[in-house]
Amino acid sequence: PLIVSFVYTGCMQVCPTTTKFLERAIDEAERALGQDVFRVITIGFNLPFDTPLAMQDFRKQQGIDRPNWEFLAADAPTIAGLARDTGFVWTPTASGFDHLTQATIIDGRGRVFQQVYGESFELPMFVGPLKELATGSPAPTITGSALRPNRG
Protein backbone atom coordinates (compact mmCIF):
# COMPACT_ATOMS: atom_id res chain seq x y z
CA PRO A 1 0.00 0.00 0.00
CA LEU A 2 0.89 3.65 -0.52
CA ILE A 3 -0.28 6.50 1.69
CA VAL A 4 -0.54 9.91 0.03
CA SER A 5 -0.86 13.22 1.85
CA PHE A 6 -0.72 16.79 0.61
CA VAL A 7 0.73 19.83 2.38
CA TYR A 8 1.94 23.28 1.60
CA THR A 9 5.23 24.24 3.17
CA GLY A 10 4.18 27.78 4.02
CA CYS A 11 1.48 26.48 6.37
CA MET A 12 2.26 27.12 10.02
CA GLN A 13 -0.58 25.27 11.72
CA VAL A 14 -2.69 22.61 10.03
CA CYS A 15 -0.10 20.98 7.74
CA PRO A 16 2.57 20.54 10.46
CA THR A 17 -0.03 19.30 12.97
CA THR A 18 -1.50 16.87 10.45
CA THR A 19 1.93 15.61 9.42
CA LYS A 20 2.95 14.96 13.04
CA PHE A 21 -0.32 13.11 13.68
CA LEU A 22 0.19 11.08 10.50
CA GLU A 23 3.59 10.08 11.88
CA ARG A 24 1.87 8.83 15.03
CA ALA A 25 -0.56 6.82 12.89
CA ILE A 26 2.34 5.38 10.90
CA ASP A 27 4.05 4.36 14.16
CA GLU A 28 0.89 2.51 15.17
CA ALA A 29 0.56 0.86 11.75
CA GLU A 30 4.19 -0.29 11.85
CA ARG A 31 3.68 -1.74 15.35
CA ALA A 32 0.69 -3.70 14.05
CA LEU A 33 2.05 -4.72 10.64
CA GLY A 34 5.81 -4.37 10.74
CA GLN A 35 8.13 -2.08 8.87
CA ASP A 36 8.40 -1.98 5.08
CA VAL A 37 4.77 -3.10 4.64
CA PHE A 38 3.70 0.25 3.12
CA ARG A 39 5.17 3.49 1.79
CA VAL A 40 4.21 7.10 2.40
CA ILE A 41 4.54 10.18 0.21
CA THR A 42 3.76 13.75 1.15
CA ILE A 43 3.41 16.10 -1.80
CA GLY A 44 3.63 19.89 -1.77
CA PHE A 45 0.86 21.53 -3.79
CA ASN A 46 1.76 25.25 -3.53
CA LEU A 47 3.61 26.00 -6.74
CA PRO A 48 6.10 27.49 -7.32
CA PHE A 49 7.03 27.53 -3.63
CA ASP A 50 6.89 23.83 -2.71
CA THR A 51 10.18 22.93 -4.36
CA PRO A 52 12.22 19.81 -3.62
CA LEU A 53 14.35 21.86 -1.20
CA ALA A 54 11.26 23.33 0.53
CA MET A 55 9.80 19.84 0.92
CA GLN A 56 13.04 18.53 2.47
CA ASP A 57 13.12 21.54 4.82
CA PHE A 58 9.50 20.83 5.82
CA ARG A 59 10.43 17.21 6.50
CA LYS A 60 13.33 18.29 8.73
CA GLN A 61 11.15 20.84 10.55
CA GLN A 62 8.70 18.05 11.39
CA GLY A 63 11.51 15.77 12.56
CA ILE A 64 10.56 13.01 10.12
CA ASP A 65 13.36 10.59 9.30
CA ARG A 66 11.83 7.42 7.88
CA PRO A 67 13.14 5.48 4.91
CA ASN A 68 9.62 4.60 3.74
CA TRP A 69 8.35 8.24 3.76
CA GLU A 70 9.25 10.65 0.96
CA PHE A 71 8.47 14.37 0.79
CA LEU A 72 8.07 15.26 -2.87
CA ALA A 73 7.62 18.21 -5.19
CA ALA A 74 6.08 17.96 -8.64
CA ASP A 75 5.06 20.06 -11.60
CA ALA A 76 1.57 21.52 -11.96
CA PRO A 77 0.15 18.82 -14.28
CA THR A 78 1.39 16.03 -11.98
CA ILE A 79 -0.06 17.69 -8.88
CA ALA A 80 -3.37 18.31 -10.65
CA GLY A 81 -3.55 14.67 -11.75
CA LEU A 82 -2.68 13.29 -8.30
CA ALA A 83 -5.18 15.63 -6.67
CA ARG A 84 -7.90 14.57 -9.10
CA ASP A 85 -7.10 10.87 -8.65
CA THR A 86 -7.08 11.10 -4.84
CA GLY A 87 -9.97 13.54 -4.43
CA PHE A 88 -7.78 16.23 -2.89
CA VAL A 89 -9.06 19.79 -3.31
CA TRP A 90 -7.74 23.16 -2.26
CA THR A 91 -8.74 26.80 -2.65
CA PRO A 92 -6.40 29.78 -2.35
CA THR A 93 -7.31 32.27 0.38
CA ALA A 94 -5.83 35.55 1.58
CA SER A 95 -3.92 33.70 4.30
CA GLY A 96 -2.88 30.59 2.37
CA PHE A 97 -5.20 27.77 1.37
CA ASP A 98 -8.34 26.04 2.49
CA HIS A 99 -7.86 22.36 1.72
CA LEU A 100 -9.00 18.90 2.63
CA THR A 101 -6.94 17.26 5.31
CA GLN A 102 -6.71 13.65 4.25
CA ALA A 103 -4.52 10.60 4.05
CA THR A 104 -5.30 8.53 0.99
CA ILE A 105 -4.53 4.82 1.09
CA ILE A 106 -3.76 3.42 -2.37
CA ASP A 107 -3.84 -0.31 -3.06
CA GLY A 108 -1.28 -2.30 -5.06
CA ARG A 109 -3.18 -1.66 -8.28
CA GLY A 110 -2.98 2.11 -7.87
CA ARG A 111 -6.61 2.54 -6.81
CA VAL A 112 -7.88 4.61 -3.92
CA PHE A 113 -8.75 2.06 -1.25
CA GLN A 114 -9.62 4.33 1.69
CA GLN A 115 -9.67 8.01 2.61
CA VAL A 116 -8.96 9.05 6.18
CA TYR A 117 -9.95 12.66 6.85
CA GLY A 118 -9.00 15.14 9.54
CA GLU A 119 -6.04 16.62 11.38
CA SER A 120 -6.43 13.68 13.75
CA PHE A 121 -8.55 10.54 13.61
CA GLU A 122 -9.14 7.29 15.41
CA LEU A 123 -6.07 5.18 14.64
CA PRO A 124 -8.07 2.01 13.72
CA MET A 125 -9.55 4.01 10.81
CA PHE A 126 -6.03 4.19 9.40
CA VAL A 127 -4.46 0.92 10.54
CA GLY A 128 -7.47 -1.26 9.64
CA PRO A 129 -7.42 -0.59 5.88
CA LEU A 130 -3.62 -0.99 5.77
CA LYS A 131 -3.94 -4.31 7.58
CA GLU A 132 -6.64 -5.40 5.16
CA LEU A 133 -4.43 -4.59 2.18
CA ALA A 134 -1.32 -6.14 3.71
CA THR A 135 -2.92 -9.37 4.92
CA GLY A 136 -6.01 -9.76 2.75
CA SER A 137 -8.16 -9.98 5.90
CA PRO A 138 -11.13 -7.64 5.92
CA ALA A 139 -11.03 -4.91 8.53
CA PRO A 140 -13.81 -5.10 11.12
CA THR A 141 -16.80 -2.92 10.37
CA ILE A 142 -18.68 -0.74 12.80
CA THR A 143 -22.43 -1.05 12.63
CA GLY A 144 -25.08 1.27 14.01
CA SER A 145 -25.94 -1.26 16.71
CA ALA A 146 -22.36 -1.04 18.01
CA LEU A 147 -22.71 2.68 18.66
CA ARG A 148 -24.02 3.88 21.97
CA PRO A 149 -24.98 7.39 22.95
CA ASN A 150 -22.69 9.20 25.33
CA ARG A 151 -24.61 9.70 28.55
CA GLY A 152 -21.67 11.19 30.46
Side-chain angles (χ1 to χ4, degrees):
L2 174 68
I3 300 154
V4 179
S5 68
F6 289 88
V7 299
Y8 71 99
T9 59
C11 179
M12 297 299 146
Q13 293 178 357
V14 174
C15 294
T17 300
T18 302
T19 301
K20 292 304 287 180
F21 188 84
L22 182 57
E23 183 177 35
R24 183 173 157 216
I26 290 166
D27 284 341
E28 185 67 23
E30 286 182 344
R31 273 192 288 284
L33 304 170
Q35 294 184 339
D36 297 327
V37 173
F38 57 89
R39 299 197 45 82
V40 185
I41 60 172
T42 296
I43 303 161
F45 65 87
N46 183 18
L47 294 178
F49 304 105
D50 289 346
T51 64
L53 181 58
M55 293 303 295
Q56 291 312 308
D57 286 345
F58 183 84
R59 176 186 191 145
K60 288 177 189 169
Q61 290 165 359
Q62 306 317 309
I64 309 246
D65 185 22
R66 294 174 173 271
N68 65 336
W69 192 347
E70 298 293 328
F71 285 71
L72 305 174
D75 60 23
T78 301
I79 292 169
L82 286 168
R84 181 188 60 249
D85 292 348
T86 60
F88 177 74
V89 295
W90 71 95
T91 303
T93 67
S95 61
F97 295 93
D98 285 340
H99 63 87
L100 282 177
T101 305
Q102 70 188 54
T104 303
I105 300 171
I106 309 285
D107 70 13
R109 294 181 181 156
R111 297 179 301 195
V112 172
F113 184 77
Q114 183 78 37
Q115 298 283 16
V116 183
Y117 295 102
E119 292 176 42
S120 63
F121 42 80
E122 295 296 321
L123 293 177
M125 292 174 56
F126 180 79
V127 176
L130 287 172
K131 187 174 185 179
E132 184 173 345
L133 286 173
T135 66
S137 302
T141 58
I142 297 175
T143 63
S145 62
L147 302 175
R148 296 187 181 127
N150 182 355
R151 304 214 190 269

